[in-house]
Amino acid sequence: MGDLALGIDVGTSAVRAAAVDANGCRAAFAAAMMPAPFNENGLVTQHPGVWWKATRRVVQNLSRQIDLKRIGAIAVDGTSGTVLGVDEKGQPVAPAQMYNSRAPAEIVRSIAAVAPPESAAHGTTSALARAIAMQTQPGVIRLIQQADWISGQFSGRFDVTDENNALKLGYDPIARRWPDWLVKVGLRPDRLTTVVAAGTATSMIARCRALDLGLAGDVAIVAGTTDGCAAFLAAGAERCGDAVTSLGTTLVLKLLSDRPLFDSDLGVYSHRIDNLWLVGGASNSGGAAIAKHLSLDQIRELSEKMSPSVPTGLDYYPLAGRGERFPHNNPGMEERVGPRPENDILFLQALMEGVTKVEKLGYHCLAEVGGPSVRSIRTVGSGAKNAAWRAIRARMLGIPIVDPVDDEAAVGAAKLARRGLFLDSQF
């Protein structure tokens, strides 16, 4: 079996892949862009074939850096709450519904009436509600997530998922099983997958896929995780109170805790990793909320001219669209981005300050529901590379911001793959 572990990170706009060695050090990295999802009246979709095409490209790109025969295990992370229905061969029956798709309101209400308040299945974008509606599509025999489908392309198995991806479909991470109340809201139990702990080896690569991609025939396929959890694992946070902020398309906060915490009113939920918990939430603020007002070139240019140590005095709450998930669970919430100053440098700074206020409020909410005190914050995602924004966050958060060990979620997925390859290894 090979000496490298491969992690594949399937995001909203790109697929990224990283290979790590037995010590967890990055040996190779590649990325492939994807077209943006299609958004029509709150239903955000993307065809899974787009994900696989990009995945194939990153594997091909890695072959220029390493010998693919050295890869001994593969794990995949994907966007949390992105759901699709597949037929008996694992083929998508319809485009996948992305994590930020609006769910059928009547099913959301039925879940709210039955599900325990700590369940991650609540909310207007409920993955469970969308899955229940999806199960009636002709040909659907199984409901799976983004990471499951890409893993299935390697193994041929589409009947297994990990505890982190299962969470928003109603999985109970404390009892470690699918709860009985799922039947009461109309979900067919035979549509669900087997759930295993993240980092568990579940199968071997399919022979035809190994030959197709130039991989060894004994590659282990390991249960992955969500993109937010993978980013946390990559960052190197390891003590209770260590936090990771993901400044990507959305704003995701995760805090390492010795106990699980849940609050559906605040959008707080917990992922299990071994015997510890990643407590946090995902906001609709973040990079996309800024990029809707200014182009990436403008953001780069204006950031270099900014004076981040001088507050703008403006009180913004940027959102990518209508509605917020965390730290307010408010489907009707509108962004607040005014008044707009004539100077675009100040406008960009106010947007960055606004997202940072959401981040600060998020960590305050985690403390309110019983989370440990935040000792340090590591930052991942494209926003982490912006020096002006980092200075703004250091000023406003008042918590030490330390450099992550690695800022790519694909490395976190690779660490899970390494766990399946070297059973005694640590994350």
Side-chain angles (χ1 to χ4, degrees), residues 90-116:
Q91 293 300 309
V93 170
Q97 294 185 15
M98 302 299 287
Y99 60 91
N100 53 346
S101 288
R102 197 167 293 276
E106 66 277 10
I107 304 180
V108 170
R109 287 192 291 270
S110 71
I111 293 170
V114 175

Side-chain angles (χ1 to χ4, degrees), residues 4-244:
L4 297 179
L6 176 63
I8 296 173
D9 167 46
V10 188
T12 303
S13 59
V15 173
R16 298 172 175 86
V20 302
D21 62 21
N23 296 315
C25 298
R26 192 197 290 200
F29 178 81
M33 301 304 294
M34 296 188 294
F38 182 71
N39 189 340
E40 184 175 13
N41 299 322
L43 182 63
V44 187
T45 60
Q46 196 170 45
H47 197 282
V50 171
W51 310 335
W52 181 240
K53 185 177 180 180
T55 300
R56 289 181 61 92
R57 289 206 308 273
V58 294
V59 173
Q60 291 166 359
N61 290 341
L62 286 176
S63 70
R64 303 185 186 101
Q65 304 174 46
I66 58 171
D67 178 2
L68 295 183
K69 298 290 187 183
R70 293 178 60 193
I71 294 172
I74 298 173
V76 181
D77 76 75
T79 51
S80 176
T82 293
V83 185
L84 67 153
V86 298
D87 64 18
E88 69 280 356
K89 295 182 179 179
Q91 293 300 309
V93 170
Q97 294 185 15
M98 302 299 287
Y99 60 91
N100 53 346
S101 288
R102 197 167 293 276
E106 66 277 10
I107 304 180
V108 170
R109 287 192 291 270
S110 71
I111 293 170
V114 175
E118 65 270 16
S119 174
H122 292 284
T124 57
T125 60
S126 168
L128 174 60
R130 289 183 280 113
I132 291 170
M134 216 177 277
Q135 70 183 353
T136 62
Q137 294 173 334
V140 170
I141 69 155
R142 191 160 288 113
L143 301 163
I144 64 175
Q145 282 109 140
Q146 186 177 49
D148 307 331
W149 193 77
I150 293 296
S151 291
Q153 297 306 304
F154 288 102
S155 67
R157 285 193 66 181
F158 299 92
D159 62 346
V160 64
T161 191
D162 64 90
E163 290 186 304
N164 304 146
N165 273 298
L167 193 68
K168 291 187 178 179
L169 286 181
Y171 179 77
D172 185 338
I174 298 177
R176 307 192 92 159
R177 65 179 182 87
W178 294 111
D180 296 336
W181 62 260
L182 289 175
V183 177
K184 297 180 181 179
V185 295
L187 185 68
R188 291 184 52 175
D190 62 343
R191 297 293 190 259
L192 294 171
T193 53
T194 299
V195 184
V196 299
T200 302
T202 60
S203 56
M204 302 297 287
I205 193 169
R207 176 177 169 78
C208 60
R209 189 62 74 197
L211 292 172
D212 176 42
L213 295 176
L215 294 163
D218 60 349
V219 176
I221 307 303
V222 177
T225 184
T226 64
D227 53 351
C229 291
F232 193 99
L233 293 173
E238 56 188 18
R239 296 183 298 173
C240 287
D242 286 347
V244 174

Side-chain angles (χ1 to χ4, degrees), residues 72-417:
I74 298 173
V76 181
D77 76 75
T79 51
S80 176
T82 293
V83 185
L84 67 153
V86 298
D87 64 18
E88 69 280 356
K89 295 182 179 179
Q91 293 300 309
V93 170
Q97 294 185 15
M98 302 299 287
Y99 60 91
N100 53 346
S101 288
R102 197 167 293 276
E106 66 277 10
I107 304 180
V108 170
R109 287 192 291 270
S110 71
I111 293 170
V114 175
E118 65 270 16
S119 174
H122 292 284
T124 57
T125 60
S126 168
L128 174 60
R130 289 183 280 113
I132 291 170
M134 216 177 277
Q135 70 183 353
T136 62
Q137 294 173 334
V140 170
I141 69 155
R142 191 160 288 113
L143 301 163
I144 64 175
Q145 282 109 140
Q146 186 177 49
D148 307 331
W149 193 77
I150 293 296
S151 291
Q153 297 306 304
F154 288 102
S155 67
R157 285 193 66 181
F158 299 92
D159 62 346
V160 64
T161 191
D162 64 90
E163 290 186 304
N164 304 146
N165 273 298
L167 193 68
K168 291 187 178 179
L169 286 181
Y171 179 77
D172 185 338
I174 298 177
R176 307 192 92 159
R177 65 179 182 87
W178 294 111
D180 296 336
W181 62 260
L182 289 175
V183 177
K184 297 180 181 179
V185 295
L187 185 68
R188 291 184 52 175
D190 62 343
R191 297 293 190 259
L192 294 171
T193 53
T194 299
V195 184
V196 299
T200 302
T202 60
S203 56
M204 302 297 287
I205 193 169
R207 176 177 169 78
C208 60
R209 189 62 74 197
L211 292 172
D212 176 42
L213 295 176
L215 294 163
D218 60 349
V219 176
I221 307 303
V222 177
T225 184
T226 64
D227 53 351
C229 291
F232 193 99
L233 293 173
E238 56 188 18
R239 296 183 298 173
C240 287
D242 286 347
V244 174
T245 295
S246 179
L247 287 178
T249 303
T250 56
L251 173 69
V252 182
L253 310 186
K254 294 207 180 296
L255 176 65
L256 195 61
S257 171
D258 58 359
R259 59 191 181 279
L261 300 169
F262 301 91
D263 192 316
S264 59
D265 291 336
L266 296 174
V268 176
Y269 53 91
S270 298
H271 286 289
R272 180 192 284 270
I273 297 288
D274 277 353
N275 293 317
L276 292 175
W277 298 86
L278 303 188
V279 178
S283 168
N284 288 335
S285 192
I290 295 177
K292 67 184 282 189
H293 297 285
L294 297 165
S295 70
L296 294 179
D297 287 340
Q298 285 178 303
I299 292 171
R300 280 191 290 266
E301 181 181 349
L302 296 172
S303 295
E304 293 176 356
K305 301 175 182 178
M306 194 180 293
S307 300
S309 61
V310 182
T312 64
L314 296 168
D315 183 21
Y316 285 7
Y317 197 118
L319 289 171
R322 185 182 181 188
E324 176 62 304
R325 299 175 288 166
F326 165 82
H328 308 283
N329 192 353
N330 182 355
M333 187 173 179
E334 300 282 356
E335 72 171 356
R336 185 174 66 249
V337 292
R340 176 168 179 164
E342 294 183 5
N343 187 323
D344 280 346
I345 300 174
L346 291 179
F347 180 55
L348 174 59
Q349 181 172 337
L351 290 170
M352 289 179 171
E353 289 175 345
V355 176
T356 304
K357 287 177 184 176
V358 178
E359 180 184 3
K360 184 173 184 177
L361 180 59
Y363 282 121
H364 177 71
C365 285
L366 297 183
E368 280 193 329
V369 297
S373 299
V374 181
R375 301 164 54 98
S376 65
I377 298 175
R378 292 161 175 82
T379 314
V380 298
S382 56
K385 299 176 176 65
N386 189 297
W389 201 350
R390 180 180 176 115
I392 289 170
R393 293 175 60 242
R395 167 171 57 82
M396 295 179 62
L397 296 175
I399 298 169
I401 297 178
V402 300
D403 292 331
V405 173
D406 203 292
D407 61 358
E408 290 290 349
V411 172
K415 288 184 176 182
L416 285 174

